Amino acid sequence: MPDAHPLVKPTFRVALRFWLKLGFISFGGPTGQIAILHTEVVERRRWMTEERFLHALNFCMLLPGPEAQQLATYIGWWLHGTKGGVVAGALFVIPSVFILLTLSWVYAAKGNLPWVAAIFWGLKPAVLAIVAFAVVRIGQKALKTRGKWALAGAAFVAIYFGQVPFPFIILAAALIGLSSGAKSPTPARTCGEPISLRRAARLVAVCLTLWWGPVILLGWWQGWDSVFVKQGVFFSKAALVTFGGAYAVLPYVAQAAVEQYGWLSATQMMDGLALAETTPGPLIMVLQFVGFMGGWQHAPAGMPVGLAAVIGALVTTWVTFTPCFLWILLGAPFVERLYGNPRLNAALSAVTAAVLGVILNLAVWFAVQTLWPGRERIEWLGLLMTAVALWGLWHWRWGVVPVVLVSGALGLLVHLLAR
């Protein structure tokens, strides 16, 4: 059946303001950010239908890199073409670049930051409520048959109890969907840009130049054995092979950064993860902290450590996210062409159900970390804050922004009162 409600097509200026705001409120890692995107883009603003949103999400879940940032890029492209995708993807990351850069500098110079941990403690219940709200709302619309419920449940069991890698889960769901050959809706409208081989070739050339250009310039300037070139090459490889988002890449990066390259210690790696979780933007931003500490502790001779740290952070961030734009801007027109194909739509519909199981897995993991840290005691205040936020989102239609800001402020207040 066609999309039930008329969509709103925002002007580029309106969308620009939204993407800028999103960059400052996208807390909670991939699950929380996907939930925020769904609430804002589908529920509140009606820029995209549920079916289109899930269609885009399914594609992004199949790609290496941070799926939430790639989803924002896809939506931006769908609304306003290449410029919309570039703006949406860039603004999803840019605020966190500067926020985390500041916190990394303070951390390296002054040590740990208890007030940052306090704010993050306050943010956790809000993010948990946003995630739970999104899982329920998406599930109500996406799981319309017993088969879809069974797929979602099987995906959750496989990844939560069996630790099956999520690419295998998604691939299995797609094959099940393909074999079912269910009927699919005809697309209501096609946005973004049409398929063009000339555009694709130009896009690949531009993205590859932008991707590797800074690394080559740093090699000419500081030498091919410098810490900056090593970071550029290593994190470029990580961007190509890390399917599953931040939670999949962290063990690989932590082991190499700590044991192989010695860019930082294991304790510093954990502190960096806490800082990345505290700031808005993708959780994969922890890689920027790794690059910062690598530059700080391995500055080239004669270069101030602060300058080396900033260069290390920026080159790491650059090579981590630049490939994401290539995957989305190159693949999105082809994925849109598949929207009305019955068999392929059936496959993506099955992937949607499996994705919900994966998201539920992350939501449960996040709930345990938030409300039962260390499996020692229940955080009753956190549980109360989660319940109030969820009730407000569900019954009183509270906005995501006030929920996030108030929760963070409450966390800081509790920390100050406990001193």
Side-chain angles (χ1 to χ4, degrees), residues 8 14 40 71 99 105 126-127 130 165-168 170 175 240 259 280 293 310 321 332 352 359 363 381 386 409:
V8 176
V14 169
E40 292 288 326
L71 178 59
I99 294 172
W105 190 293
V127 172
I130 293 168
F166 104 99
F168 295 143
I170 299 302
L175 292 176
L240 292 173
E259 299 178 7
M293 295 305 299
V310 171
F321 288 99
T352 295
I359 293 177
L381 181 56
T386 301

Side-chain angles (χ1 to χ4, degrees), residues 49-181:
T49 64
E50 190 82 32
E51 292 78 11
R52 290 276 186 180
F53 182 89
L54 295 174
H55 185 77
L57 175 59
N58 294 336
F59 173 57
C60 295
M61 293 290 284
L62 297 173
L63 298 173
E67 56 268 29
Q69 187 263 351
Q70 293 177 140
L71 178 59
T73 305
Y74 192 111
I75 296 171
W77 170 86
W78 192 78
L79 291 171
H80 297 108
T82 298
K83 68 174 182 179
V86 171
V87 166
L91 291 180
F92 195 87
V93 174
I94 287 174
S96 61
V97 168
F98 291 100
I99 294 172
L100 186 57
L101 200 59
T102 301
L103 293 176
S104 300
W105 190 293
V106 175
Y107 174 87
K110 302 293 183 182
N112 224 331
L113 300 171
W115 62 271
V116 172
I119 294 175
F120 179 58
W121 180 89
L123 291 174
K124 284 182 178 180
V127 172
L128 179 56
I130 293 168
V131 170
F133 179 68
V135 169
V136 173
R137 293 301 297 269
I138 296 174
Q140 285 178 331
K141 298 178 180 180
L143 305 181
K144 296 180 179 179
T145 66
R146 290 182 179 178
K148 298 292 173 51
W149 277 99
L151 269 175
F156 172 76
V157 170
I159 197 168
Y160 189 80
F161 295 103
Q163 275 102 49
V164 177
F166 104 99
F168 295 143
I169 294 173
I170 299 302
L171 178 61
L175 292 176
I176 291 172
L178 273 175
S179 65
S180 71

Side-chain angles (χ1 to χ4, degrees), residues 250-408:
L250 286 179
Y252 166 65
V253 168
Q255 183 177 10
V258 173
E259 299 178 7
Q260 180 179 348
Y261 294 102
W263 289 332
L264 74 176
S265 68
T267 300
Q268 289 171 335
M269 184 71 197
M270 295 304 297
D271 290 341
L273 180 59
L275 289 178
E277 286 181 322
T278 308
T279 56
L283 183 57
I284 203 73
M285 286 301 296
V286 67
L287 302 189
Q288 177 181 300
F289 178 82
V290 175
F292 182 95
M293 295 305 299
W296 185 279
Q297 298 182 146
H298 297 273
M303 179 180 291
V305 294
L307 176 60
V310 171
I311 294 174
L314 293 181
V315 73
T316 297
T317 303
W318 184 262
V319 300
T320 297
F321 288 99
T322 301
C324 299
F325 292 94
L326 176 59
W327 314 147
I328 296 298
L329 298 178
L330 185 64
F334 296 92
V335 173
E336 279 298 306
R337 180 71 65 88
L338 304 179
Y339 184 65
N341 183 290
R343 292 198 68 199
L344 290 172
N345 248 24
L348 290 178
S349 178
V351 170
T352 295
V355 165
L356 276 171
V358 173
I359 293 177
L360 179 60
N361 156 69
L362 292 175
V364 171
W365 179 87
F366 194 71
V368 171
Q369 301 300 314
T370 301
L371 305 178
W372 195 16
R375 309 291 178 94
E376 296 176 354
R377 58 185 179 82
I378 295 177
E379 288 278 4
W380 293 106
L381 181 56
L383 180 61
L384 176 61
M385 291 171 62
T386 301
V388 171
L390 184 58
W391 184 269
L393 288 166
W394 188 273
H395 290 280
W396 297 327
R397 297 189 179 276
W398 286 353
V400 169
V401 177
V403 169
V404 168
L405 293 179
V406 171
S407 295

